[in-house]
Structure formats: structure tokens, C-alpha cells
Amino acid sequence: MIDVLRFLAARAIPGLEEVAGPVYRRSLEVGHGATVVEIAADGIRADGPEALARCRRLLDLDADTAAIDAHLGRDPLLAPLVRQRPGLRVPRAVDGFELAVRAILGQQVTLAAARRIGARLVALYGRPLAEPSGAVTHLFPTAAALADADWRALGVPRGRAGAIR
């Protein structure tokens, strides 16, 4: 869990998510409205099945790690690595749209620069939470909100802005 927290902390967009000690916290828009979820070594605190499912997706908890290890373990270069870290999971994202936007924003920039752009994007176009939780204050922007975003002001090149639009 410590490796996953480090991974998430390095990519956490201020306002949207945070790692505070042993807890990862982030906002989500779910069917019943906005919620903040918390993930720690002792479990996931999520309001309802949709929020829980999105946390499971983020953490790759539904992967068949035995099948993955068996397949990758047949490769002579990967086999020693699989033996060192069996059951390794790959953190992902809570939804495909957010993943795509973050991937595009992060192209050809440092991780720190991608976080700064993400923070500006969230602050300007994400919906503020009625009840912030720690440093989590906004939801990730919707596709509709980003369709009219001022990408130049965000410092996003035209090609990347067009890809997101």
C-alpha cells in the first residue's frame, strides 16, 4: 500500500486529491452527487457502491493477478521481476475521461508541471464541493466544462487543447 500511496501522492492534483499521512483522499461525482472517498491500508471509505467501484478501479483491485503473473512469468526478462513482486497491481484512474485529460495534460512536461496545470484546471473548471474535506475542495471538471475552457490561459498547447475538446 505504501508504494501505491507514493504513486498517488506524486500525481495528486491539488484541490482534487491529497495524500495526508497514510490516507489518500479525493472527490468524486457519483449518481447521488459529490462525495469524498478515503483509501488507507485498513480499507476504503466510500459513500455507496458506485464510489467503491471507482476506488476499486483506481487501485486495480479486480485484476486477476494470478493469471497476470502466470502470463508475464513465462517471459524470460519479466519472470525474475514477477517473482520479486507477485500480485503487483497497476494504479489507474477513477474514470476514462479523467484519465484521458490527465494523460494529455501530462505529455512532454514534468510530473510537477502536469500537477500545476491540473490544479489550475480543477480550480477554474471543477465544481467546488459544498463540504470540502482537508485539501480536497473541487470535483474534476466535466467534459462540458472543458469544452469551453480557456486553454491558452492554462498554458496548454493548441494541439493538446484540441485533443481534449
PDB file of all heavy atoms in Angstrom, residues 106-146:
ATOM      1  N   GLY A 106      -0.319  15.768 -19.320  1.00  0.00           N
ATOM      2  CA  GLY A 106       0.998  15.366 -18.864  1.00  0.00           C
ATOM      3  C   GLY A 106       2.010  15.079 -19.957  1.00  0.00           C
ATOM      4  O   GLY A 106       3.164  14.767 -19.666  1.00  0.00           O
ATOM      5  N   GLN A 107       1.597  15.219 -21.218  1.00  0.00           N
ATOM      6  CA  GLN A 107       2.516  14.940 -22.321  1.00  0.00           C
ATOM      7  C   GLN A 107       3.632  15.977 -22.361  1.00  0.00           C
ATOM      8  O   GLN A 107       3.389  17.180 -22.308  1.00  0.00           O
ATOM      9  CB  GLN A 107       1.778  14.961 -23.657  1.00  0.00           C
ATOM     10  CG  GLN A 107       0.847  13.810 -23.850  1.00  0.00           C
ATOM     11  CD  GLN A 107       0.066  13.923 -25.150  1.00  0.00           C
ATOM     12  OE1 GLN A 107      -0.062  14.984 -25.735  1.00  0.00           O
ATOM     13  NE2 GLN A 107      -0.470  12.813 -25.592  1.00  0.00           N
ATOM     14  N   GLN A 108       4.840  15.491 -22.448  1.00  0.00           N
ATOM     15  CA  GLN A 108       6.035  16.307 -22.657  1.00  0.00           C
ATOM     16  C   GLN A 108       6.223  17.389 -21.595  1.00  0.00           C
ATOM     17  O   GLN A 108       6.789  18.444 -21.884  1.00  0.00           O
ATOM     18  CB  GLN A 108       6.020  16.918 -24.059  1.00  0.00           C
ATOM     19  CG  GLN A 108       5.998  15.874 -25.143  1.00  0.00           C
ATOM     20  CD  GLN A 108       5.869  16.467 -26.529  1.00  0.00           C
ATOM     21  OE1 GLN A 108       5.368  17.559 -26.700  1.00  0.00           O
ATOM     22  NE2 GLN A 108       6.336  15.731 -27.512  1.00  0.00           N
ATOM     23  N   VAL A 109       5.743  17.151 -20.388  1.00  0.00           N
ATOM     24  CA  VAL A 109       6.019  18.043 -19.266  1.00  0.00           C
ATOM     25  C   VAL A 109       6.392  17.181 -18.061  1.00  0.00           C
ATOM     26  O   VAL A 109       6.114  15.984 -18.037  1.00  0.00           O
ATOM     27  CB  VAL A 109       4.818  18.958 -18.902  1.00  0.00           C
ATOM     28  CG1 VAL A 109       4.466  19.896 -20.050  1.00  0.00           C
ATOM     29  CG2 VAL A 109       3.598  18.158 -18.481  1.00  0.00           C
ATOM     30  N   THR A 110       6.985  17.799 -17.076  1.00  0.00           N
ATOM     31  CA  THR A 110       7.331  17.056 -15.870  1.00  0.00           C
ATOM     32  C   THR A 110       6.060  16.715 -15.090  1.00  0.00           C
ATOM     33  O   THR A 110       5.001  17.322 -15.303  1.00  0.00           O
ATOM     34  CB  THR A 110       8.251  17.883 -14.957  1.00  0.00           C
ATOM     35  OG1 THR A 110       7.530  19.025 -14.492  1.00  0.00           O
ATOM     36  CG2 THR A 110       9.523  18.303 -15.687  1.00  0.00           C
ATOM     37  N   LEU A 111       6.196  15.794 -14.178  1.00  0.00           N
ATOM     38  CA  LEU A 111       5.081  15.427 -13.312  1.00  0.00           C
ATOM     39  C   LEU A 111       4.618  16.643 -12.506  1.00  0.00           C
ATOM     40  O   LEU A 111       3.419  16.879 -12.358  1.00  0.00           O
ATOM     41  CB  LEU A 111       5.521  14.291 -12.385  1.00  0.00           C
ATOM     42  CG  LEU A 111       4.477  13.480 -11.674  1.00  0.00           C
ATOM     43  CD1 LEU A 111       3.414  12.955 -12.622  1.00  0.00           C
ATOM     44  CD2 LEU A 111       5.142  12.324 -10.949  1.00  0.00           C
ATOM     45  N   ALA A 112       5.567  17.430 -12.012  1.00  0.00           N
ATOM     46  CA  ALA A 112       5.225  18.638 -11.239  1.00  0.00           C
ATOM     47  C   ALA A 112       4.454  19.636 -12.106  1.00  0.00           C
ATOM     48  O   ALA A 112       3.479  20.240 -11.647  1.00  0.00           O
ATOM     49  CB  ALA A 112       6.484  19.278 -10.674  1.00  0.00           C
ATOM     50  N   ALA A 113       4.869  19.809 -13.354  1.00  0.00           N
ATOM     51  CA  ALA A 113       4.171  20.740 -14.256  1.00  0.00           C
ATOM     52  C   ALA A 113       2.764  20.236 -14.561  1.00  0.00           C
ATOM     53  O   ALA A 113       1.807  21.018 -14.587  1.00  0.00           O
ATOM     54  CB  ALA A 113       4.960  20.928 -15.545  1.00  0.00           C
ATOM     55  N   ALA A 114       2.610  18.936 -14.755  1.00  0.00           N
ATOM     56  CA  ALA A 114       1.285  18.371 -15.020  1.00  0.00           C
ATOM     57  C   ALA A 114       0.368  18.580 -13.815  1.00  0.00           C
ATOM     58  O   ALA A 114      -0.815  18.900 -13.979  1.00  0.00           O
ATOM     59  CB  ALA A 114       1.407  16.879 -15.344  1.00  0.00           C
ATOM     60  N   ARG A 115       0.912  18.443 -12.613  1.00  0.00           N
ATOM     61  CA  ARG A 115       0.115  18.687 -11.403  1.00  0.00           C
ATOM     62  C   ARG A 115      -0.312  20.152 -11.318  1.00  0.00           C
ATOM     63  O   ARG A 115      -1.440  20.450 -10.940  1.00  0.00           O
ATOM     64  CB  ARG A 115       0.904  18.298 -10.153  1.00  0.00           C
ATOM     65  CG  ARG A 115       1.061  16.803  -9.987  1.00  0.00           C
ATOM     66  CD  ARG A 115       1.802  16.434  -8.722  1.00  0.00           C
ATOM     67  NE  ARG A 115       0.968  16.792  -7.584  1.00  0.00           N
ATOM     68  CZ  ARG A 115       1.445  17.261  -6.439  1.00  0.00           C
ATOM     69  NH1 ARG A 115       2.736  17.445  -6.271  1.00  0.00           N
ATOM     70  NH2 ARG A 115       0.631  17.531  -5.448  1.00  0.00           N
ATOM     71  N   ARG A 116       0.601  21.069 -11.653  1.00  0.00           N
ATOM     72  CA  ARG A 116       0.264  22.501 -11.598  1.00  0.00           C
ATOM     73  C   ARG A 116      -0.833  22.842 -12.606  1.00  0.00           C
ATOM     74  O   ARG A 116      -1.783  23.563 -12.286  1.00  0.00           O
ATOM     75  CB  ARG A 116       1.506  23.362 -11.859  1.00  0.00           C
ATOM     76  CG  ARG A 116       2.430  23.473 -10.675  1.00  0.00           C
ATOM     77  CD  ARG A 116       3.490  24.538 -10.866  1.00  0.00           C
ATOM     78  NE  ARG A 116       4.333  24.333 -12.030  1.00  0.00           N
ATOM     79  CZ  ARG A 116       5.415  23.571 -12.058  1.00  0.00           C
ATOM     80  NH1 ARG A 116       5.800  22.917 -10.965  1.00  0.00           N
ATOM     81  NH2 ARG A 116       6.134  23.447 -13.159  1.00  0.00           N
ATOM     82  N   ILE A 117      -0.714  22.318 -13.814  1.00  0.00           N
ATOM     83  CA  ILE A 117      -1.753  22.561 -14.827  1.00  0.00           C
ATOM     84  C   ILE A 117      -3.067  21.941 -14.363  1.00  0.00           C
ATOM     85  O   ILE A 117      -4.130  22.560 -14.464  1.00  0.00           O
ATOM     86  CB  ILE A 117      -1.336  21.983 -16.197  1.00  0.00           C
ATOM     87  CG1 ILE A 117      -0.118  22.722 -16.744  1.00  0.00           C
ATOM     88  CG2 ILE A 117      -2.496  22.080 -17.189  1.00  0.00           C
ATOM     89  CD1 ILE A 117       0.535  22.034 -17.937  1.00  0.00           C
ATOM     90  N   GLY A 118      -2.996  20.727 -13.840  1.00  0.00           N
ATOM     91  CA  GLY A 118      -4.193  20.061 -13.328  1.00  0.00           C
ATOM     92  C   GLY A 118      -4.846  20.851 -12.206  1.00  0.00           C
ATOM     93  O   GLY A 118      -6.076  20.970 -12.149  1.00  0.00           O
ATOM     94  N   ALA A 119      -4.042  21.406 -11.312  1.00  0.00           N
ATOM     95  CA  ALA A 119      -4.578  22.198 -10.200  1.00  0.00           C
ATOM     96  C   ALA A 119      -5.301  23.438 -10.712  1.00  0.00           C
ATOM     97  O   ALA A 119      -6.388  23.784 -10.222  1.00  0.00           O
ATOM     98  CB  ALA A 119      -3.462  22.581  -9.238  1.00  0.00           C
ATOM     99  N   ARG A 120      -4.718  24.116 -11.694  1.00  0.00           N
ATOM    100  CA  ARG A 120      -5.389  25.302 -12.280  1.00  0.00           C
ATOM    101  C   ARG A 120      -6.688  24.895 -12.972  1.00  0.00           C
ATOM    102  O   ARG A 120      -7.704  25.570 -12.844  1.00  0.00           O
ATOM    103  CB  ARG A 120      -4.457  26.013 -13.264  1.00  0.00           C
ATOM    104  CG  ARG A 120      -3.339  26.763 -12.578  1.00  0.00           C
ATOM    105  CD  ARG A 120      -2.611  27.730 -13.497  1.00  0.00           C
ATOM    106  NE  ARG A 120      -2.161  27.186 -14.756  1.00  0.00           N
ATOM    107  CZ  ARG A 120      -0.945  26.700 -14.973  1.00  0.00           C
ATOM    108  NH1 ARG A 120      -0.049  26.675 -14.018  1.00  0.00           N
ATOM    109  NH2 ARG A 120      -0.610  26.248 -16.168  1.00  0.00           N
ATOM    110  N   LEU A 121      -6.638  23.785 -13.685  1.00  0.00           N
ATOM    111  CA  LEU A 121      -7.813  23.281 -14.384  1.00  0.00           C
ATOM    112  C   LEU A 121      -8.938  22.978 -13.396  1.00  0.00           C
ATOM    113  O   LEU A 121     -10.086  23.384 -13.596  1.00  0.00           O
ATOM    114  CB  LEU A 121      -7.435  22.019 -15.167  1.00  0.00           C
ATOM    115  CG  LEU A 121      -8.490  21.436 -16.077  1.00  0.00           C
ATOM    116  CD1 LEU A 121      -8.537  22.239 -17.360  1.00  0.00           C
ATOM    117  CD2 LEU A 121      -8.169  19.990 -16.387  1.00  0.00           C
ATOM    118  N   VAL A 122      -8.607  22.283 -12.320  1.00  0.00           N
ATOM    119  CA  VAL A 122      -9.595  21.932 -11.301  1.00  0.00           C
ATOM    120  C   VAL A 122     -10.146  23.193 -10.629  1.00  0.00           C
ATOM    121  O   VAL A 122     -11.355  23.327 -10.434  1.00  0.00           O
ATOM    122  CB  VAL A 122      -8.995  20.942 -10.271  1.00  0.00           C
ATOM    123  CG1 VAL A 122      -9.857  20.826  -9.029  1.00  0.00           C
ATOM    124  CG2 VAL A 122      -8.804  19.570 -10.922  1.00  0.00           C
ATOM    125  N   ALA A 123      -9.270  24.126 -10.269  1.00  0.00           N
ATOM    126  CA  ALA A 123      -9.713  25.346  -9.585  1.00  0.00           C
ATOM    127  C   ALA A 123     -10.621  26.201 -10.472  1.00  0.00           C
ATOM    128  O   ALA A 123     -11.607  26.772  -9.991  1.00  0.00           O
ATOM    129  CB  ALA A 123      -8.501  26.165  -9.139  1.00  0.00           C
ATOM    130  N   LEU A 124     -10.309  26.267 -11.764  1.00  0.00           N
ATOM    131  CA  LEU A 124     -11.089  27.123 -12.669  1.00  0.00           C
ATOM    132  C   LEU A 124     -12.349  26.463 -13.213  1.00  0.00           C
ATOM    133  O   LEU A 124     -13.361  27.136 -13.420  1.00  0.00           O
ATOM    134  CB  LEU A 124     -10.214  27.572 -13.845  1.00  0.00           C
ATOM    135  CG  LEU A 124      -9.097  28.543 -13.502  1.00  0.00           C
ATOM    136  CD1 LEU A 124      -8.197  28.744 -14.712  1.00  0.00           C
ATOM    137  CD2 LEU A 124      -9.671  29.872 -13.021  1.00  0.00           C
ATOM    138  N   TYR A 125     -12.303  25.152 -13.467  1.00  0.00           N
ATOM    139  CA  TYR A 125     -13.400  24.499 -14.170  1.00  0.00           C
ATOM    140  C   TYR A 125     -14.075  23.356 -13.401  1.00  0.00           C
ATOM    141  O   TYR A 125     -15.101  22.852 -13.841  1.00  0.00           O
ATOM    142  CB  TYR A 125     -12.926  24.006 -15.543  1.00  0.00           C
ATOM    143  CG  TYR A 125     -12.447  25.143 -16.401  1.00  0.00           C
ATOM    144  CD1 TYR A 125     -11.097  25.389 -16.585  1.00  0.00           C
ATOM    145  CD2 TYR A 125     -13.357  26.015 -16.987  1.00  0.00           C
ATOM    146  CE1 TYR A 125     -10.653  26.456 -17.355  1.00  0.00           C
ATOM    147  CE2 TYR A 125     -12.928  27.084 -17.751  1.00  0.00           C
ATOM    148  CZ  TYR A 125     -11.572  27.298 -17.933  1.00  0.00           C
ATOM    149  OH  TYR A 125     -11.140  28.368 -18.679  1.00  0.00           O
ATOM    150  N   GLY A 126     -13.497  22.968 -12.285  1.00  0.00           N
ATOM    151  CA  GLY A 126     -14.126  21.936 -11.461  1.00  0.00           C
ATOM    152  C   GLY A 126     -15.174  22.568 -10.556  1.00  0.00           C
ATOM    153  O   GLY A 126     -15.054  23.713 -10.143  1.00  0.00           O
ATOM    154  N   ARG A 127     -16.199  21.811 -10.244  1.00  0.00           N
ATOM    155  CA  ARG A 127     -17.251  22.324  -9.360  1.00  0.00           C
ATOM    156  C   ARG A 127     -16.769  22.284  -7.908  1.00  0.00           C
ATOM    157  O   ARG A 127     -16.304  21.240  -7.442  1.00  0.00           O
ATOM    158  CB  ARG A 127     -18.515  21.492  -9.522  1.00  0.00           C
ATOM    159  CG  ARG A 127     -19.733  22.145  -8.860  1.00  0.00           C
ATOM    160  CD  ARG A 127     -20.989  21.355  -9.108  1.00  0.00           C
ATOM    161  NE  ARG A 127     -21.092  20.344  -8.056  1.00  0.00           N
ATOM    162  CZ  ARG A 127     -21.549  19.133  -8.215  1.00  0.00           C
ATOM    163  NH1 ARG A 127     -21.963  18.722  -9.392  1.00  0.00           N
ATOM    164  NH2 ARG A 127     -21.611  18.287  -7.216  1.00  0.00           N
ATOM    165  N   PRO A 128     -16.863  23.396  -7.186  1.00  0.00           N
ATOM    166  CA  PRO A 128     -16.461  23.389  -5.773  1.00  0.00           C
ATOM    167  C   PRO A 128     -17.366  22.462  -4.953  1.00  0.00           C
ATOM    168  O   PRO A 128     -18.568  22.368  -5.215  1.00  0.00           O
ATOM    169  CB  PRO A 128     -16.653  24.841  -5.331  1.00  0.00           C
ATOM    170  CG  PRO A 128     -16.721  25.641  -6.584  1.00  0.00           C
ATOM    171  CD  PRO A 128     -17.269  24.726  -7.639  1.00  0.00           C
ATOM    172  N   LEU A 129     -16.777  21.799  -3.992  1.00  0.00           N
ATOM    173  CA  LEU A 129     -17.541  20.938  -3.095  1.00  0.00           C
ATOM    174  C   LEU A 129     -18.291  21.790  -2.076  1.00  0.00           C
ATOM    175  O   LEU A 129     -17.752  22.773  -1.568  1.00  0.00           O
ATOM    176  CB  LEU A 129     -16.611  19.980  -2.347  1.00  0.00           C
ATOM    177  CG  LEU A 129     -15.848  18.957  -3.187  1.00  0.00           C
ATOM    178  CD1 LEU A 129     -14.881  18.173  -2.312  1.00  0.00           C
ATOM    179  CD2 LEU A 129     -16.812  18.025  -3.897  1.00  0.00           C
ATOM    180  N   ALA A 130     -19.516  21.403  -1.763  1.00  0.00           N
ATOM    181  CA  ALA A 130     -20.277  22.095  -0.725  1.00  0.00           C
ATOM    182  C   ALA A 130     -19.586  21.925   0.626  1.00  0.00           C
ATOM    183  O   ALA A 130     -19.609  22.835   1.457  1.00  0.00           O
ATOM    184  CB  ALA A 130     -21.705  21.553  -0.674  1.00  0.00           C
ATOM    185  N   GLU A 131     -18.977  20.764   0.835  1.00  0.00           N
ATOM    186  CA  GLU A 131     -18.269  20.488   2.086  1.00  0.00           C
ATOM    187  C   GLU A 131     -16.883  19.940   1.763  1.00  0.00           C
ATOM    188  O   GLU A 131     -16.708  18.727   1.608  1.00  0.00           O
ATOM    189  CB  GLU A 131     -19.044  19.478   2.926  1.00  0.00           C
ATOM    190  CG  GLU A 131     -20.387  19.991   3.404  1.00  0.00           C
ATOM    191  CD  GLU A 131     -21.122  18.954   4.240  1.00  0.00           C
ATOM    192  OE1 GLU A 131     -20.465  18.190   4.964  1.00  0.00           O
ATOM    193  OE2 GLU A 131     -22.359  18.930   4.148  1.00  0.00           O
ATOM    194  N   PRO A 132     -15.886  20.837   1.636  1.00  0.00           N
ATOM    195  CA  PRO A 132     -14.521  20.360   1.379  1.00  0.00           C
ATOM    196  C   PRO A 132     -14.053  19.417   2.483  1.00  0.00           C
ATOM    197  O   PRO A 132     -14.546  19.471   3.610  1.00  0.00           O
ATOM    198  CB  PRO A 132     -13.694  21.644   1.376  1.00  0.00           C
ATOM    199  CG  PRO A 132     -14.679  22.726   1.055  1.00  0.00           C
ATOM    200  CD  PRO A 132     -15.961  22.292   1.699  1.00  0.00           C
ATOM    201  N   SER A 133     -13.099  18.569   2.145  1.00  0.00           N
ATOM    202  CA  SER A 133     -12.536  17.605   3.094  1.00  0.00           C
ATOM    203  C   SER A 133     -11.022  17.728   3.041  1.00  0.00           C
ATOM    204  O   SER A 133     -10.407  17.346   2.045  1.00  0.00           O
ATOM    205  CB  SER A 133     -12.981  16.190   2.734  1.00  0.00           C
ATOM    206  OG  SER A 133     -12.410  15.257   3.607  1.00  0.00           O
ATOM    207  N   GLY A 134     -10.420  18.275   4.080  1.00  0.00           N
ATOM    208  CA  GLY A 134      -8.985  18.522   4.043  1.00  0.00           C
ATOM    209  C   GLY A 134      -8.680  19.473   2.899  1.00  0.00           C
ATOM    210  O   GLY A 134      -9.341  20.494   2.739  1.00  0.00           O
ATOM    211  N   ALA A 135      -7.710  19.108   2.085  1.00  0.00           N
ATOM    212  CA  ALA A 135      -7.339  19.938   0.935  1.00  0.00           C
ATOM    213  C   ALA A 135      -8.154  19.618  -0.315  1.00  0.00           C
ATOM    214  O   ALA A 135      -7.919  20.183  -1.374  1.00  0.00           O
ATOM    215  CB  ALA A 135      -5.850  19.767   0.641  1.00  0.00           C
ATOM    216  N   VAL A 136      -9.118  18.711  -0.209  1.00  0.00           N
ATOM    217  CA  VAL A 136      -9.971  18.344  -1.338  1.00  0.00           C
ATOM    218  C   VAL A 136     -11.147  19.315  -1.384  1.00  0.00           C
ATOM    219  O   VAL A 136     -12.003  19.308  -0.499  1.00  0.00           O
ATOM    220  CB  VAL A 136     -10.449  16.882  -1.225  1.00  0.00           C
ATOM    221  CG1 VAL A 136     -11.360  16.527  -2.392  1.00  0.00           C
ATOM    222  CG2 VAL A 136      -9.250  15.939  -1.176  1.00  0.00           C
ATOM    223  N   THR A 137     -11.166  20.165  -2.410  1.00  0.00           N
ATOM    224  CA  THR A 137     -12.132  21.261  -2.468  1.00  0.00           C
ATOM    225  C   THR A 137     -13.033  21.254  -3.697  1.00  0.00           C
ATOM    226  O   THR A 137     -14.048  21.959  -3.712  1.00  0.00           O
ATOM    227  CB  THR A 137     -11.384  22.609  -2.453  1.00  0.00           C
ATOM    228  OG1 THR A 137     -10.480  22.647  -3.579  1.00  0.00           O
ATOM    229  CG2 THR A 137     -10.592  22.789  -1.155  1.00  0.00           C
ATOM    230  N   HIS A 138     -12.647  20.523  -4.750  1.00  0.00           N
ATOM    231  CA  HIS A 138     -13.364  20.562  -6.030  1.00  0.00           C
ATOM    232  C   HIS A 138     -13.509  19.163  -6.618  1.00  0.00           C
ATOM    233  O   HIS A 138     -12.753  18.256  -6.301  1.00  0.00           O
ATOM    234  CB  HIS A 138     -12.592  21.403  -7.054  1.00  0.00           C
ATOM    235  CG  HIS A 138     -12.606  22.852  -6.789  1.00  0.00           C
ATOM    236  ND1 HIS A 138     -11.883  23.433  -5.783  1.00  0.00           N
ATOM    237  CD2 HIS A 138     -13.267  23.859  -7.421  1.00  0.00           C
ATOM    238  CE1 HIS A 138     -12.084  24.730  -5.794  1.00  0.00           C
ATOM    239  NE2 HIS A 138     -12.920  25.021  -6.771  1.00  0.00           N
ATOM    240  N   LEU A 139     -14.452  19.044  -7.539  1.00  0.00           N
ATOM    241  CA  LEU A 139     -14.574  17.859  -8.387  1.00  0.00           C
ATOM    242  C   LEU A 139     -13.734  18.066  -9.634  1.00  0.00           C
ATOM    243  O   LEU A 139     -13.425  19.204 -10.013  1.00  0.00           O
ATOM    244  CB  LEU A 139     -16.033  17.655  -8.805  1.00  0.00           C
ATOM    245  CG  LEU A 139     -16.987  17.243  -7.692  1.00  0.00           C
ATOM    246  CD1 LEU A 139     -18.432  17.419  -8.154  1.00  0.00           C
ATOM    247  CD2 LEU A 139     -16.725  15.808  -7.266  1.00  0.00           C
ATOM    248  N   PHE A 140     -13.389  16.967 -10.308  1.00  0.00           N
ATOM    249  CA  PHE A 140     -12.711  17.083 -11.592  1.00  0.00           C
ATOM    250  C   PHE A 140     -13.697  17.695 -12.587  1.00  0.00           C
ATOM    251  O   PHE A 140     -14.886  17.381 -12.567  1.00  0.00           O
ATOM    252  CB  PHE A 140     -12.245  15.707 -12.092  1.00  0.00           C
ATOM    253  CG  PHE A 140     -11.290  15.796 -13.237  1.00  0.00           C
ATOM    254  CD1 PHE A 140      -9.959  16.075 -13.018  1.00  0.00           C
ATOM    255  CD2 PHE A 140     -11.721  15.621 -14.546  1.00  0.00           C
ATOM    256  CE1 PHE A 140      -9.060  16.185 -14.073  1.00  0.00           C
ATOM    257  CE2 PHE A 140     -10.843  15.726 -15.608  1.00  0.00           C
ATOM    258  CZ  PHE A 140      -9.505  16.010 -15.376  1.00  0.00           C
ATOM    259  N   PRO A 141     -13.234  18.582 -13.468  1.00  0.00           N
ATOM    260  CA  PRO A 141     -14.150  19.214 -14.425  1.00  0.00           C
ATOM    261  C   PRO A 141     -14.844  18.207 -15.342  1.00  0.00           C
ATOM    262  O   PRO A 141     -14.267  17.194 -15.721  1.00  0.00           O
ATOM    263  CB  PRO A 141     -13.233  20.120 -15.256  1.00  0.00           C
ATOM    264  CG  PRO A 141     -12.008  20.297 -14.421  1.00  0.00           C
ATOM    265  CD  PRO A 141     -11.866  19.053 -13.607  1.00  0.00           C
ATOM    266  N   THR A 142     -16.068  18.521 -15.693  1.00  0.00           N
ATOM    267  CA  THR A 142     -16.814  17.694 -16.638  1.00  0.00           C
ATOM    268  C   THR A 142     -16.346  17.990 -18.060  1.00  0.00           C
ATOM    269  O   THR A 142     -15.708  19.018 -18.321  1.00  0.00           O
ATOM    270  CB  THR A 142     -18.318  17.994 -16.543  1.00  0.00           C
ATOM    271  OG1 THR A 142     -18.527  19.357 -16.933  1.00  0.00           O
ATOM    272  CG2 THR A 142     -18.857  17.735 -15.144  1.00  0.00           C
ATOM    273  N   ALA A 143     -16.719  17.118 -18.979  1.00  0.00           N
ATOM    274  CA  ALA A 143     -16.401  17.344 -20.390  1.00  0.00           C
ATOM    275  C   ALA A 143     -17.043  18.637 -20.873  1.00  0.00           C
ATOM    276  O   ALA A 143     -16.423  19.410 -21.621  1.00  0.00           O
ATOM    277  CB  ALA A 143     -16.869  16.158 -21.231  1.00  0.00           C
ATOM    278  N   ALA A 144     -18.271  18.902 -20.447  1.00  0.00           N
ATOM    279  CA  ALA A 144     -18.956  20.135 -20.861  1.00  0.00           C
ATOM    280  C   ALA A 144     -18.203  21.364 -20.370  1.00  0.00           C
ATOM    281  O   ALA A 144     -18.071  22.350 -21.110  1.00  0.00           O
ATOM    282  CB  ALA A 144     -20.390  20.139 -20.328  1.00  0.00           C
ATOM    283  N   ALA A 145     -17.706  21.327 -19.143  1.00  0.00           N
ATOM    284  CA  ALA A 145     -16.965  22.478 -18.607  1.00  0.00           C
ATOM    285  C   ALA A 145     -15.669  22.699 -19.380  1.00  0.00           C
ATOM    286  O   ALA A 145     -15.271  23.844 -19.617  1.00  0.00           O
ATOM    287  CB  ALA A 145     -16.667  22.270 -17.127  1.00  0.00           C
ATOM    288  N   LEU A 146     -15.025  21.619 -19.801  1.00  0.00           N
ATOM    289  CA  LEU A 146     -13.752  21.758 -20.512  1.00  0.00           C
ATOM    290  C   LEU A 146     -13.917  22.099 -21.981  1.00  0.00           C
ATOM    291  O   LEU A 146     -12.979  22.575 -22.612  1.00  0.00           O
ATOM    292  CB  LEU A 146     -12.923  20.483 -20.352  1.00  0.00           C
ATOM    293  CG  LEU A 146     -12.463  20.194 -18.923  1.00  0.00           C
ATOM    294  CD1 LEU A 146     -11.565  18.963 -18.907  1.00  0.00           C
ATOM    295  CD2 LEU A 146     -11.776  21.384 -18.310  1.00  0.00           C
TER     296      LEU A 146
END
